[in-house]
Amino acid sequence: MKKLLAFFAATLLLAGCSSSGSGGSNGQTLTVAATAVPHAEILKQVKPILAKEGIDLDIKVFADYVQPNTQVEEKNIDLNYFQTKPYLDTFNREHKTNLVIVTGVHIEPFGAYSHKYKSIDQLPNGATVTLPNDPSNQGRALLLLAKNGLITLKDPSNELSTPKDVVGNPKNLTFKPLEAAMLPRTLDEVDLALINTNYALAAGLNPTKDALLIEDKNSPYVNYLVGRPDNQNDPRVQKLAQALTSPEIKAFIEEKYKGAVLPAF
């Protein structure tokens, strides 16, 4: 019975994700996996631009950071738009995949949030800090803490630092790595949470107002449109890349997110 249920679950997933697959049944549909905020919101603005080119953009919203890559690699979905290069590099290495960058679109300044304190100076000795458990975002969180003097890292330039690399911890912070999507839910239970901006926005947080610490505009963590070697030069894919980096989308990002999301073009 368990095997039968697993079979039906997999069948339903593929049915929901394979409207175009590796090329689309009519050659004019593109499926793109994205997280809800801001990626899917930005893609919705692109949809009418592509429609004028005769391309139907089919947006598939995911709540995690693994399935969007897995579904593209398995050719159930054409592209995805949710991740930074350090995350993609780590995913490719760990899963032996060969997903490739198509174009950079925006930057989401990563932030540290608290429901208990109004200022990072109020963070007490022995504070509990939650942060993402995937290697690239965990390293990113620790780099933000290190840049603001809360910790010292063995190698301040190591984008894949872990709590084991903390060599100075004057406030004796306790780190609890969790799945990135879960972090906003920890705010009532911990002293500080390091949260990716897409999940912060989805939870109703305003990064430019609510974050006690936040990356500046020079953050290198660009969010990319990602595909495969077999489709990265597809004319439809290139038209999507052009639309995502158009003046219309730049204006939308600047107006909609008011600094919480920044154009990277």
Side-chain angles (χ1 to χ4, degrees):
M1 178 61 73
K2 289 182 178 178
K3 290 183 179 179
L4 186 61
L5 289 173
F7 171 78
F8 282 122
T11 302
L12 286 172
L13 174 62
L14 292 177
C17 293
S18 62
S19 62
S20 78
S22 61
S25 59
N26 60 11
Q28 293 302 313
T29 298
L30 275 178
T31 49
V32 184
T35 46
V37 182
H39 307 83
E41 293 178 341
I42 295 171
L43 287 169
K44 286 178 183 177
Q45 298 300 309
V46 170
K47 191 176 176 73
I49 299 175
L50 287 187
K52 294 177 182 178
E53 300 279 350
I55 299 170
D56 178 26
L57 187 64
D58 186 5
I59 306 163
K60 304 292 188 183
V61 177
F62 286 80
D64 73 293
Y65 286 164
V66 176
Q67 281 300 311
N69 276 339
T70 301
Q71 293 299 318
V72 172
E73 173 67 20
E74 294 177 354
K75 299 188 178 182
N76 298 317
I77 290 178
D78 295 310
L79 306 154
N80 66 50
Y81 170 38
F82 76 97
Q83 65 194 311
T84 64
K85 187 176 185 298
Y87 182 88
L88 175 62
D89 290 344
T90 301
F91 187 94
N92 277 334
R93 183 172 60 252
E94 293 183 350
H95 294 83
K96 296 180 172 55
T97 51
N98 190 31
L99 300 174
V100 296
I101 286 172
V102 178
T103 192
V105 183
H106 74 265
I107 295 168
E108 299 173 19
F110 194 90
Y113 301 83
S114 177
H115 277 177
K116 296 181 179 181
Y117 307 105
K118 300 294 185 184
S119 148
I120 201 67
D121 295 333
Q122 297 174 349
L123 198 66
N125 188 64
T128 300
V129 180
T130 51
L131 67 171
N133 63 3
D134 64 273
S136 65
N137 283 306
Q138 185 172 116
R140 186 178 181 181
L142 292 171
L143 288 175
L144 179 62
L145 294 176
K147 184 176 181 179
N148 286 275
L150 289 169
I151 59 173
T152 303
L153 293 171
K154 185 189 308 180
D155 178 0
S157 64
N158 182 10
E159 295 178 340
L160 298 178
S161 293
T162 73
K164 293 180 180 179
D165 296 312
V166 176
V167 294
N169 188 0
K171 282 185 175 286
N172 297 307
L173 304 178
T174 298
F175 300 106
K176 290 191 174 182
L178 295 170
E179 184 180 348
M182 299 292 295
L183 293 170
R185 303 181 192 179
T186 69
L187 280 169
D188 290 329
E189 304 168 6
V190 303
D191 298 295
L192 193 71
L194 282 293
I195 305 175
N196 295 77
T197 292
N198 60 312
Y199 290 129
L201 291 171
L205 296 167
N206 184 330
T208 59
K209 294 181 179 180
D210 298 330
L212 304 189
L213 300 173
I214 194 165
E215 292 173 338
D216 60 30
K217 64 181 180 180
N218 297 316
S219 168
Y221 292 93
V222 174
N223 281 232
Y224 290 94
L225 179 68
V226 168
R228 301 182 303 272
D230 70 298
N231 72 0
Q232 68 180 125
N233 294 317
D234 185 308
R236 296 168 303 137
V237 172
Q238 291 302 310
K239 286 180 180 178
L240 172 57
Q242 291 168 13
L244 277 169
T245 55
S246 65
E248 297 96 316
I249 296 305
K250 182 176 184 179
F252 169 78
I253 292 172
E254 291 174 340
E255 175 61 27
K256 170 76 174 177
Y257 302 108
K258 302 186 185 307
V261 179
L262 302 170
F265 55 91

